[in-house]
Amino acid sequence: MVGHAGAAPADGYTEIVDLFAEQEQAAMRSAEPLAARMRPRTLAEFIGQSHIMAPRQLLRRQIDSGRVGSAIFHGPPGCGKTTLARLIAHHVDAVFTTLHAAEAGVRDVREVIEAARTRLATTGRRTVLFLDEIHRFSKSQQDSLLRDVESGVLILIGATTENPFFSVNAPLISRSSLFEFQALTDDELRAVLDAALRDAERGLGAYRPIVEDAALAFLVETCEGDARRALNALEVAVMSEVDEGGPRRVTLEVMRESVQKRIAFDRDGDTHYDLASAFIKSMRGSDPDASLYWMARMLEGGEDPRFIARRIAICASEDVGNADPQAIVIAAAAVQVAELVGLPECEFALAQAATYIACAPKSNAVTLAIGAARADVRNEPTLAVPGHLRDGHYAGAKKLGRAIGYEYPHDSPSGFVLQDYLGAEKAFYHPTDRGAEKRIKAWVEELRRRRGQSPPADRMES
């Protein structure tokens, strides 16, 4: 009787607790942004990344077989890295644990690992640790994962928007599969938005929204494959319209106000190097318009103008060289202006220099020449400085035979005397026929002819 009488309150208490738990979960769900509510619940609902998720692709085969190992997901934001990690854990019946690398430390990781070991030993269930922004972990923090990743106690899925070869330790990479995620295509992003507009339970379907095609097209174009950003902007657009009992209409103007233009740039990450590379290659390729565009991308993203000026100076010597000797002068001026004036005014000097370099005739003969000379120094026997070229300004130099026989070129009416300056016949600099270097080439060949030098066989002209 006592046991029976005590059971009823316990059951009632359980029902009350369950009721409060359900209400709490419902309140939490209602506060979630649209992007969180619309997370795919199954692999069938997942949109995008067909290059790794299509049938018979490596990741999909691992998931279907239930033999998922540790992995690094790298790619732009809003393309499904977190979502797919959750779906993988659910599909293989593993416990999903998430840490954010910017907030977690080694202690947090160790707690997750100990729990994973206990869980595996007592229940046989594995643990998926999703480590967001893994590139923010230090070397020691990443090293703390190695043993348990290798033993299989933990399935690590690290996510990063950076190039993992720059930001993740080599030992951790060698123990993981790398999967590069791509921004969603326009069609894929449109499918995500359409699903949110139709779904009355998790999405916006209950508001019967009518979104102009032009508004959706603008949203797709502006969000550049970022589903999270697109969904949250769509929610702002729909929910900001006054509810008058009918459908909520979203025009192009409303959509423009609901989404902000984002400049994708990270001064310390992969985008930084990609944009700098595109900038230099555009100048080298003689395209002033592309050069200005990539420079504008860097400036709008907050790049240091001095960094841009240094890239221009490098290109002036490396790719223009003596084809237009004025290029390095203009580049040096841009460096100085960027240093002394700063933004916003220095952008004009940067633009002037970048367009000048882009439009200048190109020659990398100087670059090849110094490279060949340094290779010769590294790989060939070292040449002694000829006696007549050695320093003869100190007392006793003449007694040692220093500088004896040196002829001062300016004593000759032509400014040139036939004299050995190397002690061996070597030719490193081979000017081109482009720009000012064509004149330099003729003079260099004349000087070598006077010295009795011949151009190398592969450089001789017919």
Side-chain angles (χ1 to χ4, degrees), residues 67-116:
R67 302 294 297 176
V68 177
S70 293
I72 304 294
F73 290 172
H74 63 106
C79 61
K81 298 186 293 294
T82 305
T83 296
L84 187 55
R86 289 179 179 274
L87 293 175
I88 288 172
H90 176 74
H91 191 80
V92 301
D93 192 30
V95 174
F96 184 80
T97 303
T98 182
L99 291 175
H100 195 288
E103 302 169 352
V106 172
R107 181 178 178 180
D108 301 300
V109 172
R110 286 175 178 165
E111 289 178 355
V112 171
I113 290 174
E114 288 303 318

Side-chain angles (χ1 to χ4, degrees), residues 1 196 231 344:
M1 287 289 292
L231 285 169

Side-chain angles (χ1 to χ4, degrees), residues 73-207:
F73 290 172
H74 63 106
C79 61
K81 298 186 293 294
T82 305
T83 296
L84 187 55
R86 289 179 179 274
L87 293 175
I88 288 172
H90 176 74
H91 191 80
V92 301
D93 192 30
V95 174
F96 184 80
T97 303
T98 182
L99 291 175
H100 195 288
E103 302 169 352
V106 172
R107 181 178 178 180
D108 301 300
V109 172
R110 286 175 178 165
E111 289 178 355
V112 171
I113 290 174
E114 288 303 318
R117 287 176 181 166
T118 302
R119 187 178 297 114
L120 185 61
T122 57
T123 69
R125 292 188 73 192
R126 299 184 69 188
T127 301
V128 169
L129 170 59
F130 179 73
L131 188 55
D132 199 12
E133 296 196 49
I134 190 173
H135 61 275
R136 294 183 180 271
F137 254 20
S138 67
K139 182 179 185 300
S140 61
Q141 289 173 312
Q142 292 184 28
D143 286 344
S144 68
L145 297 162
L146 293 176
R147 184 181 65 177
D148 294 282
V149 166
E150 187 169 27
S151 66
V153 169
L154 199 66
I155 301 174
L156 171 69
I157 300 181
T160 176
T161 56
E162 307 293 335
N163 186 328
F165 291 102
F166 295 157
S167 55
V168 181
N169 287 355
L172 195 55
I173 288 180
S174 69
R175 291 165 172 80
S176 309
S177 298
L178 297 182
F179 296 102
E180 182 175 9
F181 281 55
Q182 298 173 355
L184 271 62
T185 66
D186 288 354
D187 289 342
E188 291 167 346
L189 192 55
R190 182 66 180 259
V192 169
L193 296 172
D194 287 343
L197 290 170
R198 291 193 306 268
D199 194 315
E201 177 187 354
R202 298 180 298 151
L204 302 170
Y207 301 101

Side-chain angles (χ1 to χ4, degrees), residues 131-384:
L131 188 55
D132 199 12
E133 296 196 49
I134 190 173
H135 61 275
R136 294 183 180 271
F137 254 20
S138 67
K139 182 179 185 300
S140 61
Q141 289 173 312
Q142 292 184 28
D143 286 344
S144 68
L145 297 162
L146 293 176
R147 184 181 65 177
D148 294 282
V149 166
E150 187 169 27
S151 66
V153 169
L154 199 66
I155 301 174
L156 171 69
I157 300 181
T160 176
T161 56
E162 307 293 335
N163 186 328
F165 291 102
F166 295 157
S167 55
V168 181
N169 287 355
L172 195 55
I173 288 180
S174 69
R175 291 165 172 80
S176 309
S177 298
L178 297 182
F179 296 102
E180 182 175 9
F181 281 55
Q182 298 173 355
L184 271 62
T185 66
D186 288 354
D187 289 342
E188 291 167 346
L189 192 55
R190 182 66 180 259
V192 169
L193 296 172
D194 287 343
L197 290 170
R198 291 193 306 268
D199 194 315
E201 177 187 354
R202 298 180 298 151
L204 302 170
Y207 301 101
R208 295 179 293 161
I210 298 177
V211 183
E212 291 182 356
D213 286 341
L216 273 179
F218 171 79
L219 182 59
V220 168
E221 179 183 358
T222 305
C223 290
E224 299 175 342
D226 186 335
R228 183 188 304 112
R229 182 165 169 248
L231 285 169
N232 290 338
L234 179 65
E235 184 174 34
V236 169
V238 171
M239 299 306 293
S240 64
E241 289 303 284
V242 178
D243 186 0
E244 297 179 346
R248 299 193 179 195
R249 297 182 178 274
V250 177
T251 64
L252 176 59
E253 289 69 25
V254 170
M255 191 63 77
R256 287 185 187 276
E257 295 172 355
S258 302
V259 58
Q260 293 183 336
K261 180 66 176 177
R262 180 192 65 189
I263 305 298
F265 186 77
D266 183 349
R267 287 178 57 178
D268 299 316
D270 215 15
T271 306
H272 166 87
Y273 296 104
D274 286 344
L275 291 179
S277 176
F279 178 53
I280 288 179
K281 288 172 181 174
S282 297
M283 288 189 293
R284 180 186 300 143
S286 301
D287 190 331
D289 299 309
S291 302
L292 288 171
Y293 177 81
W294 298 122
M295 186 173 74
R297 279 282 301 273
M298 289 189 284
L299 288 171
E300 289 294 322
E303 181 59 87
D304 187 339
R306 294 173 297 181
F307 172 84
I308 299 173
R310 290 194 294 269
R311 303 283 77 73
I312 295 173
I314 292 169
C315 194
S317 287
E318 183 179 7
D319 298 303
V320 176
N322 287 331
D324 186 347
Q326 186 68 16
I328 188 63
V329 177
I330 291 176
V335 172
Q336 190 172 19
V337 171
E339 182 70 38
L340 297 179
V341 177
L343 289 171
E345 290 86 355
C346 77
E347 71 177 51
F348 308 130
L350 295 178
Q352 178 185 354
T355 52
Y356 188 96
I357 302 302
C359 297
K362 302 300 188 293
S363 170
N364 69 343
V366 169
T367 306
L368 296 175
I370 186 59
R374 296 194 67 174
D376 188 277
V377 170
R378 287 192 301 267
N379 302 319
E380 301 297 329
T382 302
L383 300 177

